[in-house]
Amino acid sequence: MTARISGQSFDVNVGGLMINVKAISLDIADNTAVAQTRGVPDGYTNGDVTGEGEIELDSQNFTLLARLAAEAGSWRGIEPMDFQFYANTGREEMKVEAYGCKLVVSNLLAIDPKGADTLSHKIKYFVTDPNFVQINGIPYLSESDVRDLIG
């Protein structure tokens, strides 16, 4: 048997910082829809797309992101940054990149005085760049989708 990719396999790079996450997600909403003629399917129309996710960090890793906020002068002042999720087990490999991710602090504290787990902080992010998302080097959006947006 060989090692398979799991959540522990991933290295997460946020704006050039390698961070350890408790959890992280990236969700794509693609509003492509069925076209209809007289109520009968007749092709499709490309819809709008959005990308967003959430990062859950312990305080030690939250402090790494706080350095970016200090450099920017505020949390809201942090400029959008690229994220990279990479896993390689030697036999399997996965690389997902999300471009222009804007951070938004969403759940600053989750304190459980009876719990033994480390303190958690959650940060939402939104994908804001027309390069959007690449999965194993393949863009999610077509050249037609991003025409006149990417130079």
Side-chain angles (χ1 to χ4, degrees):
M1 288 287 155
T2 60
R4 303 290 306 270
I5 291 176
S6 71
Q8 292 181 350
S9 306
F10 278 89
D11 290 324
V12 178
N13 185 310
V14 173
L17 292 173
M18 291 298 290
I19 60 171
N20 292 307
V21 298
K22 285 187 166 189
I24 192 163
S25 64
L26 171 57
D27 301 314
I28 294 174
D30 184 336
N31 292 312
T32 296
V34 173
Q36 295 183 334
T37 301
R38 294 186 317 272
V40 177
D42 185 18
Y44 66 93
T45 57
N46 285 327
D48 60 322
V49 295
T50 60
E52 63 182 69
E54 187 172 67
I55 308 167
E56 184 176 354
L57 304 162
D58 63 17
S59 293
Q60 186 176 29
N61 287 279
F62 185 78
T63 300
L64 292 175
L65 289 182
R67 292 181 192 159
L68 295 176
E71 289 172 13
S74 69
W75 281 93
R76 287 187 77 180
I78 298 173
E79 290 294 320
M81 63 188 79
D82 300 340
F83 286 14
Q84 182 184 83
F85 311 89
Y86 180 73
N88 187 335
T89 65
R91 186 173 175 139
E92 293 182 314
E93 181 177 29
M94 181 167 206
K95 181 179 177 183
V96 176
E97 296 165 289
Y99 296 96
C101 297
K102 178 66 176 159
L103 301 178
V104 179
V105 176
S106 60
N107 188 337
L108 182 57
L109 296 173
I111 300 170
D112 178 1
K114 295 184 262 177
D117 197 14
T118 58
L119 184 63
S120 290
H121 313 274
K122 291 183 182 176
I123 300 173
K124 288 183 183 181
Y125 66 92
F126 304 97
V127 180
T128 67
D129 191 283
N131 285 309
F132 197 55
V133 172
Q134 287 193 9
I135 305 164
N136 290 329
I138 303 166
Y140 186 81
L141 299 175
S142 71
E143 286 184 26
S144 176
D145 290 326
V146 297
R147 69 187 178 283
D148 302 324
L149 296 175
I150 299 176

